[in-house]
Each structure stands twice: as C-alpha cells, then as structure tokens.
Amino acid sequence: MTTVQDILTFLEDFAPPALAEGWDNVGLLAGDRAQAVSGVLCALDVTEQVVDEAAAAGAQLIVAHHPAIFTSVSRVTADDATGRVLRAAIRQDIALLCMHTNADCAEGGVNDALAAALRLTDVRHMGAGENGMLGRVGELPCEMQPQEFARYVKACLQAGGVRFCDGGQTIRRVAVGGGACGKLMDHALDKGAQAFVIGDCSYDLMQRAQSLGLTLVDAGHFPTENPMTAVFAGRIAAAFPALSVTVSARHTDCIEFV
C-alpha cells in the first residue's frame, strides 16, 4: 500500500524543503499522511476545477507546484477561492501536496524543465536565490536574433503569446527563471546571458533590460512553469508503478490573448 507520506518522502528527496525560500509554504498542506493512495493528479495550481477533476478520476492526492495555502488563512469558508478549494479537497478526502520554490531550485526541477523545453545545452545554475540554486543558464542550439528568439520561445512553450524587449544582441546564451523571476536579472547578466526568459514581467524591468543590452522575454507564468507537471507525474509514475498518475487536462492558463 502506498500512502501520502510515501509520495511526500519521495518528492522531498527530489526537492528537499530546505531548498525552499524562507517565505514559502511547501509540503503537505492538507490531508492525512497515512491515507492510502491509488491515484495522483499533477497540476500547476490547485483550483476548484482541479479538485473536481481529481475526484472524478478517483485520485486521493493532488501534487501541485503553487501552494494551495500561501498567505495567512484565518478562516475556511466558501466566500473565497482558497476556502472553496480547501473545503472541496477535504470533503472529497483528497490530500494536497505542493512543491514550490524547492522544486524551482531542485536538480531536474522547474528551471531545468524550462531549460529542457527551450532545448538549452550545457545548462548550469544561475547562482540566484537564498541557496544559490534559483535559475539556470545554457546555450541555444543555434544563434538567433531577438524577434526570432521570442517566436522560438512562444513555440517551445506553446504560449498564447509572449512580450519581449530587443536587447540589440545576437542570442546564444540564455538564462531562464520560471515564474516571476525579474529580480534575478543581474544574475543572468553576470552569467553572460544575452536573453532571459521569465514570466510576469513589469514595464520597468523591460526598460532596464533593454538599457543593459539584454533581450527579456516574458513568456507568462503558466507556460514557464507548467512543464514541471509532467516531470512530477513522470517521477511519481516511475517510482510507484502501481499508481494511476495523470497530468491535469482541465487546468490551463487563465491569461488569454486577442
């Protein structure tokens, strides 16, 4: 019998909680460690739709990247999304396990998955974050011009659209940071990157990047981190072959382009 704790132990060996940033909230956020598990659903976020999908599939555990409980929760009611998610999960007896910045930093985690999706080679740590393990930098298969590279990122990540600033340089060395990693820009520059791929970029970051000769590509939070869901599913399925492990088919990017 496989339990929630068995899967938690396995995932924390891959992405130890000690790798998480100090402000983060990772691990088992709801559920019973001793609960038997026959099915696992992996998703970027724990939404009401994801909980419904897990229940319909007969899954007892959801493994997600973003924490279902992030800021202080003083009450669990149907008045807000967090309360509705927690109520639904508890009602269906579905455990919630979240691997956030520890999975960002882990070898083979979010940023390595993003680098792999962009087909980067010679991938190395960017040296950012509290433990120096946030972000990655690597080499493109061939040199590209900024607009060509932006289109390449869009295609590789199947993004609805990307925003970018033209840093004015031919691109071969690329830094990546899944999600909102604009604050890591100086680390990307220190590693000799001509381009930096992130999600959730502000106007002032674009201006600063361009002034420094860096092509900054905002490919969106969901597209830059969602490759991790397949990694979670693949690792769990390989370690626990008797389980039914799937990636959410219902959870998609909430941002659309017109």
Side-chain angles (χ1 to χ4, degrees):
M1 179 184 75
T2 300
T3 66
V4 169
Q5 182 62 53
D6 292 332
I7 298 171
L8 175 61
T9 299
F10 169 74
L11 287 176
E12 288 189 336
D13 183 60
F14 158 58
L19 292 181
E21 299 288 288
W23 47 263
D24 206 359
N25 187 30
V26 301
L28 182 63
L29 303 190
D32 182 354
R33 296 174 186 274
Q35 181 181 11
V37 176
S38 62
V40 181
L41 180 68
C42 299
L44 186 67
D45 300 281
V46 185
T47 65
E48 294 172 74
Q49 292 76 21
V50 167
V51 175
D52 289 344
E53 184 181 6
Q60 297 81 30
L61 173 64
I62 295 171
V63 175
H65 178 50
H66 292 141
I69 304 172
F70 201 32
T71 55
S72 176
V73 175
S74 58
R75 55 181 57 83
V76 178
T77 72
D79 295 336
D80 59 63
T82 298
R84 290 192 295 272
V85 164
L86 293 174
R87 280 166 47 84
I90 292 168
R91 191 163 53 241
Q92 300 281 358
D93 205 16
I94 296 172
L96 308 179
L97 198 166
C98 301
M99 313 291 285
H100 194 210
T101 52
N102 50 331
D104 287 327
C105 294
E107 299 288 348
V110 172
N111 288 305
D112 285 310
L114 176 54
L118 297 178
R119 303 182 184 91
L120 302 185
T121 58
D122 192 24
V123 176
R124 304 182 182 208
H125 290 289
M126 201 163 70
E130 293 173 6
N131 51 41
M133 294 181 69
L134 269 179
R136 298 291 187 269
V137 62
E139 306 291 320
L140 280 172
C142 62
E143 290 185 346
M144 298 183 191
Q145 296 306 310
Q147 186 172 94
E148 177 189 11
F149 176 67
R151 294 183 184 278
Y152 174 81
V153 171
K154 178 183 174 181
C156 287
L157 300 182
Q158 300 179 352
V162 303
R163 301 185 306 145
F164 77 101
C165 69
D166 187 331
Q169 297 189 66
T170 299
I171 299 165
R172 187 62 184 264
R173 190 163 180 80
V174 175
V176 298
C181 285
K183 63 184 179 182
L184 309 185
M185 187 190 302
D186 288 337
H187 294 276
L189 289 164
D190 288 345
K191 294 297 182 181
Q194 293 95 28
F196 188 21
V197 179
I198 63 171
D200 294 341
C201 179
S202 61
Y203 179 72
D204 62 302
L205 280 174
M206 287 282 190
Q207 283 187 313
R208 180 167 184 263
Q210 190 171 51
S211 73
L212 295 171
L214 179 71
T215 294
L216 186 60
V217 180
D218 177 358
H221 207 115
F222 185 94
T224 58
E225 293 188 329
N226 196 52
M228 189 62 203
T229 58
V231 174
F232 282 141
R235 285 180 172 269
I236 296 168
F240 303 94
L243 300 185
S244 171
V245 185
T246 56
V247 173
S248 174
R250 293 191 61 185
H251 185 35
T252 58
D253 195 349
C254 64
I255 297 173
E256 299 183 45
F257 293 84
V258 295

